[in-house]
Amino acid sequence: KRFLVALDTTESATRYPFRVRWSHPAEGGTVPVSWNDADATKDASYVDLSQSSGFVIDCLPLGDINVVYKEDSIWSMAFEGGQSIFGFRQLFSDVGILGRHCVKDFNNMHFVVSEDDVYVHDGQTRKSIVDSQIRDELFNSIHPDYKTRTFVVADREKNEMWICFTSNTNDTDAFADTAYVWNWRNNSWSKRDLPNVSFIAWGVV
């Protein structure tokens, strides 16, 4: 809606790795006037998702909810209004996300890379999309020191999701040199070399 959301915030030099904070709603074309949860005249507030030990990593809207990804679980953030403003519900307790930028949306679903799996979900049901051979090959190829630099890119024209990462054979550069590519139309996998990139975005050149 019209709220900004902040995750894993540092406030007054103290880190809150489980915190999901939202601003007062902003008018169109403007930034929020307040993040102050102590101001009773504003709708800014926060919730600490500390039910599990995993830190809050990323979030992405899906339909009418904002899906919040932790290292070890997934939560829905839904607008309710009233005093609480937002309601939180755990969607999945046995899977999370590998790092920031490891989730993309497509066809009213999310494509997600976790610590040891690649899956899609619609907010209710979840499905792994890698067999044991692809799973082992993919996760055994990621450099353990740079695994949180993994990121996902959607090539919507070609119906592809790219998992970009630093391979474990790359000892000279910490940037992504390999991509595993999933085509969601025909459910096939392929592999590509990358020229040591830090991020990829699609647009008109």
Side-chain angles (χ1 to χ4, degrees):
K1 296 186 181 295
R2 295 181 296 141
F3 297 84
L4 284 184
V5 177
L7 310 174
D8 185 2
T9 59
T10 299
E11 305 169 22
S12 301
T14 301
R15 183 184 181 186
Y16 297 92
F18 309 112
R19 182 154 296 179
V20 179
R21 179 178 284 278
W22 60 88
S23 70
H24 185 72
E27 298 300 325
T30 67
V31 297
V33 297
S34 176
W35 290 80
N36 184 8
D37 57 278
D39 186 346
T41 66
K42 300 294 187 293
D43 291 336
S45 191
Y46 68 88
V47 164
D48 288 321
L49 299 178
S50 56
Q51 292 85 345
S52 62
S53 60
F55 290 1
V56 175
I57 301 295
D58 209 343
C59 67
L60 187 68
L62 178 61
D64 292 331
I65 66 172
N66 183 34
V67 182
V68 179
Y69 291 91
K70 299 184 64 178
E71 293 173 316
D72 56 4
S73 58
I74 303 174
W75 293 73
S76 71
M77 176 183 180
F79 180 77
E80 295 181 346
Q83 187 174 2
S84 60
I85 309 298
F86 286 99
F88 290 81
R89 180 173 64 89
Q90 190 175 71
L91 299 178
F92 306 108
S93 61
D94 57 343
V95 69
I97 194 170
L98 177 61
R100 292 179 182 175
H101 311 299
C102 284
V103 55
K104 286 290 181 180
D105 65 295
F106 76 105
N107 295 350
N108 298 315
M109 293 188 289
H110 280 183
F111 173 94
V112 190
V113 180
S114 72
E115 185 77 27
D116 57 6
D117 198 6
V118 183
Y119 61 91
V120 296
H121 76 90
D122 60 5
Q124 298 183 18
T125 59
R126 186 182 85 245
K127 177 184 178 181
S128 175
I129 57 172
V130 287
D131 59 27
S132 58
Q133 179 179 350
I134 295 293
R135 180 186 293 109
D136 291 344
E137 184 178 333
L138 169 61
F139 288 99
N140 288 335
S141 298
I142 298 177
H143 199 300
D145 293 338
Y146 306 117
K147 64 180 181 179
T148 57
R149 296 191 181 186
T150 302
F151 60 91
V152 171
V153 186
D155 184 350
R156 304 187 190 280
E157 182 180 3
K158 296 181 180 178
N159 305 299
E160 292 179 344
M161 290 289 182
W162 291 28
I163 304 174
C164 308
F165 60 91
T166 305
S167 69
N168 54 18
T169 60
N170 189 345
D171 295 324
T172 60
D173 201 314
F175 295 119
D177 59 356
T178 307
Y180 273 58
V181 181
W182 178 63
N183 186 295
W184 66 75
R185 175 165 290 181
N186 56 31
N187 192 29
S188 64
W189 286 90
S190 59
K191 183 179 178 181
R192 297 190 61 150
D193 292 330
L194 298 176
N196 294 322
V197 297
S198 58
F199 201 72
I200 298 175
W202 297 96
V204 178
V205 178

